[in-house]
Amino acid sequence: MNSQDVILGLLMHHSLSGYDIKHKMETILSYFNNASFGTIYPTLSKMEKDGLITKESVIQEGRPNKNLYSITEGGKLQFKKYMYSPIEDNEFKSDAMTRLFFGEFVEAAIMVGVLEEYLVRTKVNMERLRKLYVDCQPDMSPTQEICIQIGINNSESQILTLTEGIARLKNVKEK
Amino acid sequence: MNSQDVILGLLMHHSLSGYDIKHKMETILSYFNNASFGTIYPTLSKMEKDGLITKESVIQEGRPNKNLYSITEGGKLQFKKYMYSPIEDNEFKSDAMTRLFFGEFVEAAIMVGVLEEYLVRTKVNMERLRKLYVDCQPDMSPTQEICIQIGINNSESQILTLTEGIARLKNVKEK
DNA sequence: ATACTCATGTAAATCGTTACATGATTTT
DNA sequence: AAAATCATGTAACGATTTACATGAGTAT
């Protein structure tokens, strides 16, 4: 799975500009995907060159013109090919957890700080997902609902584990 | 956080070869980090050149010679610098969840397949973490315990969400 | 016989981010 | 007046993976 596959999936619904795609990446897809403009625009150019999408310039009033991209039959075929290919493993990299792992080499207070910061970030993310769920639920497909539930439930579980961990660490310190 | 920071952390405990580092990455660190030999060996060379670590050739019987790397005072300083720097956000990319998100464009049976495959992989990973916890608990620091508990609890939560999701999808299909 | 473990390393390719460049309109 | 939104694009850089190359010893 690369950025091209995700863009194809987004264009299956309706035509979008590069800017629109970036917005979707940051909101509905951000829990399990991400891409910067530096990836999106060159990828769209390549996809057009390869005949997977077509470009249409749209002149707007009071706003810059935009390039609206639409998926072609070839693009739909490529999307299907992706959806039927073997599933790749998740990729996960956590700086906060890496620090926790090496925590014994710095003062305990620093580790409490890492845990509290990680807890706050997890809470912020959970709230964002919860709000997204409330706002989008009527338009969501059954599998999209499962997706966001995974995000919300995993965040909740992590909040519990971190809260317990902080309490335990602080207890150890007091003893 | 990059591979260098993780390698420094591993060498804080005791000297290791590139092969040893790869092994640690695959077992105790794999839940939130990963690196291939193609990253590890060139990184070790660069770190030696930069004076963060020193190399010692160890001749072994019945096994190939190995290069044992040890952290220097400069390396320890660099490690501290990392541990006190601002925490970076987690990176997460999920092919399985991406497919679920775009599930409406393929048959429901394919999505049940994705969910079941994702469930199996989550279960396998949870079992691996549970076993690791049992095997390593006596040697684990308090923050390392929190780390692995995050992994185990998040896996458990995901197993529940996926199981419920599968049941719901199958129900929808029957109706 | 075959596969796995131990052990190191390079080169090509892939993939992606960050920073820069530009600029109008709208909101605070 | 400043910041945010809308909008596209490139160039330099960074990080990492995959595949290749080599080879002995051990376990099945």
Side-chain angles (χ1 to χ4, degrees):
Chain A
M1 178 200 52
N2 51 29
S3 296
Q4 179 177 294
D5 296 321
V6 179
I7 291 173
L8 284 173
L10 287 170
L11 294 177
M12 284 293 286
H13 224 243
H14 43 68
S15 304
L16 296 166
S17 67
Y19 194 83
D20 296 334
I21 289 167
K22 172 72 171 150
H23 184 252
K24 299 238 175 206
M25 292 273 190
E26 280 175 347
T27 52
I28 50 177
L29 287 167
S30 77
Y31 179 59
F32 50 90
N33 248 301
N34 245 312
S36 61
F37 283 126
T39 299
I40 294 166
Y41 288 122
T43 302
L44 285 168
S45 295
K46 196 193 164 283
M47 288 167 77
E48 198 204 354
K49 207 190 70 192
D50 294 344
L52 303 174
I53 56 175
T54 53
K55 181 166 82 174
E56 186 198 349
S57 283
V58 177
I59 292 135
Q60 299 183 111
E61 281 172 47
R63 281 179 184 189
N65 297 350
K66 66 175 173 182
N67 300 329
L68 207 61
Y69 291 94
S70 307
I71 194 162
T72 63
E73 284 308 311
K76 286 179 188 172
L77 212 74
Q78 178 56 43
F79 173 74
K80 277 260 165 86
K81 218 170 118 184
Y82 158 63
M83 291 292 273
Y84 285 78
S85 69
I87 303 168
E88 285 167 44
D89 277 325
N90 286 350
E91 279 167 47
F92 181 58
K93 192 172 276 193
S94 174
D95 186 22
M97 287 178 78
T98 303
R99 284 165 203 245
L100 292 177
F101 190 84
F102 296 125
E104 59 195 300
F105 306 111
V106 296
E107 304 94 274
I110 299 290
M111 283 305 108
V112 173
V114 171
L115 285 165
E116 281 169 348
E117 173 71 27
Y118 195 22
L119 177 60
V120 167
R121 291 190 196 187
T122 309
K123 280 180 176 170
V124 167
N125 194 51
M126 191 190 66
E127 283 314 319
R128 195 185 62 78
L129 290 176
R130 266 206 223 281
K131 201 174 170 300
L132 195 70
Y133 191 25
V134 170
D135 294 347
C136 303
Q137 198 178 12
D139 310 312
M140 275 182 169
S141 74
T143 45
Q144 279 177 347
E145 270 197 64
I146 296 170
C147 245
I148 199 157
Q149 278 163 2
I150 291 172
I152 292 168
N153 295 345
N154 282 12
S155 300
E156 251 172 20
S157 148
Q158 189 160 288
I159 287 167
L160 285 177
T161 314
L162 286 171
T163 306
E164 273 172 42
I166 291 169
R168 235 180 312 134
L169 252 205
K170 283 187 172 168
N171 252 354
V172 168
K173 250 175 54 183
E174 276 158 29
K175 272 181 208 165
Chain B
M1 177 201 51
N2 51 29
S3 296
Q4 179 177 295
D5 296 321
V6 178
I7 292 173
L8 285 172
L10 286 171
L11 293 177
M12 284 293 286
H13 225 240
H14 44 68
S15 305
L16 296 166
S17 68
Y19 194 82
D20 296 334
I21 289 167
K22 171 71 171 151
H23 185 252
K24 299 238 176 207
M25 292 271 188
E26 280 175 347
T27 52
I28 51 177
L29 288 166
S30 79
Y31 179 60
F32 51 91
N33 247 302
N34 246 312
S36 61
F37 283 125
T39 300
I40 293 166
Y41 288 123
T43 303
L44 285 169
S45 294
K46 196 194 164 283
M47 289 167 77
E48 197 204 354
K49 208 191 69 192
D50 294 344
L52 303 175
I53 56 176
T54 53
K55 180 165 82 175
E56 185 198 349
S57 283
V58 177
I59 292 136
Q60 299 184 113
E61 282 172 47
R63 283 181 182 186
N65 298 349
K66 67 174 173 183
N67 300 329
L68 208 61
Y69 291 93
S70 307
I71 195 163
T72 63
E73 283 309 311
K76 285 179 187 172
L77 211 74
Q78 178 56 45
F79 173 73
K80 278 259 165 85
K81 218 170 119 183
Y82 157 63
M83 290 293 272
Y84 285 79
S85 68
I87 303 169
E88 284 167 44
D89 276 326
N90 286 352
E91 278 165 48
F92 181 58
K93 191 171 279 194
S94 174
D95 185 23
M97 287 177 77
T98 303
R99 284 165 203 245
L100 292 177
F101 190 85
F102 296 126
E104 58 194 303
F105 306 112
V106 296
E107 305 94 272
I110 299 290
M111 284 304 109
V112 173
V114 171
L115 285 165
E116 280 170 349
E117 173 71 27
Y118 196 21
L119 177 59
V120 167
R121 291 191 194 186
T122 309
K123 280 179 175 170
V124 167
N125 194 51
M126 191 191 65
E127 282 314 318
R128 195 184 61 79
L129 290 176
R130 265 207 222 282
K131 201 174 170 301
L132 196 70
Y133 191 26
V134 170
D135 294 346
C136 303
Q137 197 177 11
D139 310 312
M140 275 182 167
S141 75
T143 46
Q144 277 176 349
E145 269 197 65
I146 295 170
C147 245
I148 200 157
Q149 277 163 4
I150 291 172
I152 292 168
N153 295 345
N154 282 11
S155 299
E156 250 172 20
S157 147
Q158 189 160 287
I159 287 167
L160 284 178
T161 313
L162 286 171
T163 306
E164 275 172 41
I166 290 168
R168 235 181 310 135
L169 252 205
K170 283 187 172 170
N171 254 354
V172 168
K173 248 173 55 181
E174 276 160 30
K175 271 179 207 162

